[in-house]
Amino acid sequence: MTNPTGPGLDWPDPALSGIMSERGQLLGLAYRLLGSLADAEDVVQEAYARWCALSPAQRAAIESPGAWLTRVAGRICLDLLGSARARRERYVGEWIPEPLPDRADWYGDRAGGTPVDPVDRVTLDESISMAFLVVLESTTPAERVAFILHDVFRYSFAEVAEVVGRTPAACRQLASSARRRVRASTAPTVPVARQAGIVRAFKQAWEATDIDALVGLLAPDATATGDGGGLVRAELRPVEGAERIARFFAGRAGPASGVTILERTVNGQPGLVAQLDGGVGAVLAFDIAGDRITHIWTILNPDKLRSWTTV
């Protein structure tokens, strides 16, 4: 994919700085569709490259550059989703979307106090939660694009049709199908404070290797899924059942393990980071229903942890 000069450098089109404010929305759209920040960044770069490739007359004829960029980014994502599905079928073990750190983690002692990582530009809300993104993996590329553009970004079905290449009525059906799947798989939202308390209790029980406490925090039919991508050791299949999960985690922590567990925001919700020798070895995202953990996603693939090197 074309990778033009990066943001903040000299672009061929001086007027491009006027539409760089669209970058956040474009990145948020592409990340939700692809589940990969690296791929999303490539999509945004390609969209801007295509804008730069237009003649001045062509650019002047575009009434809304932001809408044009969104359509282009959406089409690029739609094309990529087919190949991404094929790649994931060849992926070693389970594929989990790339986790995002909390935007606050990107503020600090940087020059001028300005966040520089693109993750800052992604809006963190329920449509970016790990549970939501995992459910989206079960939809078709067209369903996903129609649903995200309409339900999350509030584009009309007439506008969605320009991206998907189908009629507005067909796009309505695509979004409806994805919406039903999301609703059927999504538990009622648990207040963030309660989520944080449950995740903190899990951390404490994990550090203490307290199997009974861990079992008490997990739903009986809970599932834990790991993603090592073939690069680090991880279970190739999900671990199922509260007691099996509790014993699995209890064997991978404690004072002798050298693992430090930190509370962090993962995709906008309470999560954990496991550090080993000062580096991030794993990021854990949770799905919680009521007062029990129903699913744990553990991302160990180092290619997906590049945004977490400063936590």
Side-chain angles (χ1 to χ4, degrees):
M1 181 175 291
T2 302
N3 187 18
T5 307
L9 300 178
D10 293 331
W11 288 80
D13 176 16
L16 188 61
S17 59
I19 57 171
M20 285 303 291
S21 60
E22 303 292 338
R23 183 176 175 79
Q25 175 158 307
L26 296 174
L27 186 64
L29 169 67
Y31 173 76
R32 286 172 173 86
L33 292 176
L34 302 175
S36 165
L37 184 61
D39 288 346
E41 183 70 12
D42 284 345
V43 166
V44 175
Q45 295 282 43
E46 177 66 12
Y48 278 113
R50 295 187 185 185
W51 171 269
C52 291
L54 297 176
S55 68
Q58 288 174 318
R59 290 184 212 132
I62 296 173
E63 182 176 349
S64 173
W68 185 91
L69 285 165
T70 297
R71 287 196 298 272
V72 169
R75 288 170 187 157
I76 296 171
C77 288
L78 187 59
D79 291 340
L80 287 176
L81 282 169
S83 60
R85 180 159 295 186
R87 291 198 310 271
R88 289 166 195 174
E89 289 174 354
R90 300 189 299 269
Y91 195 79
V92 178
E94 299 287 329
W95 187 92
I96 300 174
E98 180 179 347
L100 294 182
D102 179 54
R103 59 183 300 154
D105 291 335
W106 291 94
Y107 288 86
D109 297 329
R110 300 184 186 273
T114 302
V116 296
D117 194 274
V119 75
D120 250 339
R121 303 176 185 276
V122 180
T123 300
L124 298 179
D125 56 23
E126 288 182 15
S127 73
I128 213 105
S129 72
M130 191 61 70
F132 183 91
L133 295 176
V134 169
V135 173
L136 284 184
E137 286 296 307
S138 65
T139 63
T140 69
E143 286 175 341
R144 192 182 309 190
V145 172
F147 173 65
I148 292 296
L149 280 174
H150 179 266
D151 284 43
V152 178
F153 288 89
R154 302 303 180 188
Y155 279 83
S156 70
F157 284 117
E159 293 169 312
V160 174
E162 294 183 36
V163 176
V164 180
R166 305 192 189 185
T167 66
C171 291
R172 184 183 299 274
Q173 289 300 316
L174 289 168
S176 178
S177 177
R179 192 180 306 119
R180 286 195 299 270
R181 197 164 302 182
V182 169
R183 287 177 177 172
S185 304
T186 304
T189 301
V190 176
V192 172
R194 186 186 300 174
Q195 292 183 52
I198 294 170
V199 170
R200 182 174 297 116
F202 182 91
K203 170 183 178 291
Q204 294 168 347
W206 185 11
E207 290 172 325
T209 64
D210 188 336
I211 292 177
D212 289 339
L214 288 169
V215 170
L217 292 164
L218 294 159
D221 59 349
T223 303
T225 305
D227 177 353
L231 300 177
V232 298
R233 185 177 177 182
E235 295 296 309
L236 296 181
R237 295 182 179 276
V239 179
E240 300 179 343
E243 186 166 349
R244 288 188 62 201
I245 294 172
R247 293 187 180 280
F248 177 85
F249 276 94
R252 289 159 175 79
S257 68
V259 175
T260 301
I261 306 169
L262 307 173
E263 295 178 36
R264 290 291 185 269
T265 298
V266 180
N267 285 64
Q269 299 192 347
L272 299 174
V273 166
Q275 283 189 333
L276 182 63
D277 298 326
V280 175
V283 172
L284 287 76
F286 296 81
D287 195 22
I288 297 171
D291 59 356
R292 297 290 182 94
I293 296 167
T294 58
H295 207 125
I296 304 172
W297 293 280
T298 304
I299 300 90
L300 303 105
N301 184 339
D303 289 343
K304 297 182 178 182
L305 300 179
R306 292 171 181 168
S307 297
W308 293 83
T309 56
T310 61
V311 300

